[in-house]
Amino acid sequence: MGSGDKINVFPSRMILGLMKTRLKGAQKGHSLLKKKSDALTLKFRATLRKIIENKTIMGDVMKAVYFSLAEAAYAAGDISQTVIQNADKAQNKVKFTKDNVAGVQLTNFSMHSEGSDVYQLTGLGKGGQTVTRCKETAQKAIKLLIELASLQTTFITLDEAIKITNRRVNGIEYVIIPRFENTIAYIVEELDERDREEFYRLKKVQDKKKIIREKQKKFMEEYNKRQEVSDDAPKNLLDTEHDPDIMF
């Protein structure tokens, strides 16, 4: 942006006050958006830290799930058909809630269990303890996956919100505020120039009036001198000189 970028306005005191008000509003908006960006960035970093931790844990949990599944298959045989036959409706369901962070709506997922356990009799004949342990490990993995999905969704939402907020902050800081400042500087400069022109004009008027008064004074002095020198100058009829009495 050029240093001379400004709003095309007519320079006046009213426009100057309006531009100062708009500049103050832009600075206030910049401050609020900057705070919003900082809050979102803080939440973004905390979410990223949790994602890294959960992905690290996820590797170990998935290993435990596959190992437990192998143990259950070894102890109780093939239980896949039993699981499929008993799968009537989902016992574990995902619910989502909304969380507000600096005006940004974040979606959170959580796992909820409903109804009775339809697989509680699975492995009753043999390997019941191994099957139960396998089921608990799998539920732990599912819960961790749902939490990771929630964190990933929050991460993407925060990333987009931070980009938009930073674009607005940069736009106000590097475009709008300098434009208002340049406009204010232009108006102040024009008003100062107008004041100087007005002062110069008044000074010229005063000088001309002074010259006219001096000419009038000089003319009156010369006229009075001529009146004193000339003996034949007619007397002023308005003089209060006493005339002598006339004797008959």
Side-chain angles (χ1 to χ4, degrees):
M1 186 193 69
S3 59
D5 187 16
K6 64 181 185 301
I7 303 173
N8 293 326
V9 295
F10 180 77
S12 64
R13 300 288 179 186
M14 184 180 70
I15 299 298
L16 178 61
L18 179 62
M19 288 295 106
K20 287 183 178 180
T21 302
R22 294 179 67 180
L23 174 62
K24 187 176 180 180
Q27 291 173 344
K28 183 67 175 178
H30 176 268
S31 176
L32 293 176
L33 285 175
K34 190 67 176 175
K35 291 179 181 179
K36 177 181 178 180
S37 177
D38 294 340
L40 293 177
T41 303
L42 186 63
K43 180 68 175 178
F44 180 81
R45 292 175 179 173
T47 303
L48 180 61
R49 192 180 306 113
K50 289 183 180 179
I51 289 175
I52 295 174
E53 292 176 357
N54 283 16
K55 284 188 175 182
T56 303
I57 298 173
M58 180 59 68
D60 298 333
V61 172
M62 294 306 296
K63 288 180 182 179
V65 168
Y66 283 110
F67 185 74
S68 297
L69 182 60
E71 284 184 339
Y74 177 77
D78 187 9
I79 60 175
S80 59
Q81 293 299 325
T82 305
V83 172
I84 294 173
Q85 290 176 2
N86 292 333
D88 186 13
K89 76 177 177 179
Q91 178 186 1
N92 297 324
K93 295 184 179 180
V94 178
K95 292 186 178 181
F96 71 93
T97 57
K98 292 288 186 179
D99 188 16
N100 192 325
V101 177
V104 179
Q105 297 292 329
L106 302 178
T107 303
N108 294 325
F109 301 114
S110 59
M111 186 179 73
H112 294 272
S113 298
E114 296 180 355
S116 60
D117 188 3
V118 297
Y119 305 111
Q120 58 184 351
L121 299 179
T122 304
L124 186 61
K126 55 180 179 179
Q129 185 176 3
T130 307
V131 172
T132 302
R133 186 166 56 249
C134 177
K135 181 177 64 175
E136 292 175 353
T137 306
Q139 286 181 344
K140 181 179 179 181
I142 292 173
K143 185 176 181 180
L144 192 60
L145 281 172
I146 293 173
E147 183 179 355
L148 186 59
S150 177
L151 291 173
Q152 291 279 20
T153 304
T154 301
F155 180 84
I156 295 173
T157 304
L158 287 174
D159 184 51
E160 292 296 326
I162 289 173
K163 288 179 181 178
I164 294 173
T165 304
N166 287 338
R167 280 198 296 267
R168 291 176 179 174
V169 170
N170 294 333
I172 294 176
E173 182 176 357
Y174 297 108
V175 177
I176 296 178
I177 290 179
R179 184 176 297 170
F180 284 152
E181 291 176 345
N182 292 335
T183 304
I184 291 173
Y186 162 73
I187 295 174
V188 171
E189 183 179 356
E190 290 294 323
L191 292 177
D192 290 343
E193 182 67 22
R194 191 180 303 172
D195 291 339
R196 285 193 295 269
E197 290 176 357
E198 183 68 16
F199 177 76
Y200 178 76
R201 187 185 66 82
L202 293 175
K203 186 176 180 182
K204 294 294 290 185
V205 170
Q206 292 294 331
D207 292 341
K208 287 183 179 180
K209 288 182 178 180
K210 184 177 180 181
I211 293 173
I212 292 173
R213 285 196 301 268
E214 289 178 353
K215 287 182 178 180
Q216 290 177 349
K217 182 178 180 181
K218 185 176 181 182
F219 174 78
M220 293 301 298
E221 290 177 352
E222 292 178 354
Y223 177 77
N224 291 332
K225 287 181 180 179
R226 287 198 300 268
Q227 290 293 329
E228 292 175 357
V229 172
S230 176
D231 295 331
D232 297 333
K235 296 183 178 181
N236 191 352
L237 296 177
L238 298 179
D239 288 343
T240 58
E241 184 179 355
H242 182 69
D243 295 332
D245 296 331
I246 300 176
M247 301 297 293
F248 293 99

